[in-house]
Amino acid sequence: MDARSIIGWNLRRLRVAQGLSQERLALAAGIDRAYVGRVERGSENVTIATLEAMARALSVPVAHLLAEPDGDAQRPAPLKAGRKPAR
């Protein structure tokens, strides 16, 4: 697995585990939602500054985005579609 795929895998895994949509993560990190999607698909080269912003938004160290997943790890499931009720 190449570095872009590893970052995308971990970003999606962490985002879904926290129940964040791509839009919420993008707002918290100060980046575009479509950019988050491209990073998760592994089609975007991410700068260190963007990695730091996404890690801060997820409240994890940057290293968590760079850790290679286990060989038997399942692809993270998508969040349930639709809007969440306002809190």
Side-chain angles (χ1 to χ4, degrees), residues 27-51:
L27 286 171
I31 57 179
D32 185 63
R33 192 227 37 97
Y35 184 80
V36 173
R38 290 192 306 270
V39 171
E40 287 187 359
R41 288 190 302 278
S43 62
E44 193 70 50
N45 283 321
V46 184
T47 65
I48 296 297
T50 303
L51 279 177

Side-chain angles (χ1 to χ4, degrees), residues 1-10 39-42 69 75:
M1 191 177 280
D2 67 352
R4 287 186 300 186
S5 297
I6 291 169
I7 291 167
W9 177 287
N10 287 321
V39 171
E40 287 187 359
R41 288 190 302 278
R75 183 125 187 103

